[in-house]
Amino acid sequence: MKTLVLSDIHVGSKGCNTEAVLEILNTKFDRLILVGDIIDGWLFKKYKKFSYQHTKVIRRFLKLSKDKEIIWISGNHDEFLRK
């Protein structure tokens, strides 16, 4: 079983390299482990929106969740997802 592990992507921030994230999500893997600070909830609370590119990353996660195991461990920036 191939596992892809990603952390500190900070979707929603200027530092998020959405092209690289989308490219790596196109590789072959069976399970995805997201280890903290995937979505920058602090910035989302402030601006209430994401760019089109950032939305593409989130939509890709949702699409992958239909046929792959995804384990999401929230970090301090995406703590709002714990609810």
Side-chain angles (χ1 to χ4, degrees):
M1 174 180 277
K2 285 189 174 184
T3 301
L4 176 62
V5 179
L6 298 175
S7 71
D8 296 287
I9 297 172
H10 290 272
V11 172
S13 72
K14 291 179 183 176
C16 177
N17 187 342
T18 56
E19 288 180 26
V21 173
L22 291 169
E23 185 176 328
I24 199 164
L25 289 174
N26 283 329
T27 61
K28 277 194 153 188
F29 59 89
D30 304 302
R31 176 175 46 206
L32 175 61
I33 301 177
L34 301 170
V35 187
D37 296 348
I38 302 305
I39 295 177
D40 200 318
W42 295 359
L43 289 176
F44 187 72
K45 283 181 185 177
K46 183 176 180 180
Y47 297 114
K48 306 285 191 252
K49 64 179 181 177
F50 288 133
S51 72
Y52 176 72
Q53 286 302 109
H54 291 145
T55 303
K56 280 177 64 174
V57 172
I58 294 168
R59 291 181 69 173
R60 183 73 173 125
F61 287 145
L62 293 171
K63 185 176 181 182
L64 288 169
S65 72
K66 292 180 180 180
D67 63 344
K68 299 196 183 305
E69 178 184 12
I70 297 181
I71 299 169
W72 193 312
I73 302 167
S74 63
N76 62 322
H77 283 262
D78 47 22
E79 64 191 5
F80 70 97
L81 295 171
R82 293 179 191 158
K83 299 174 185 174

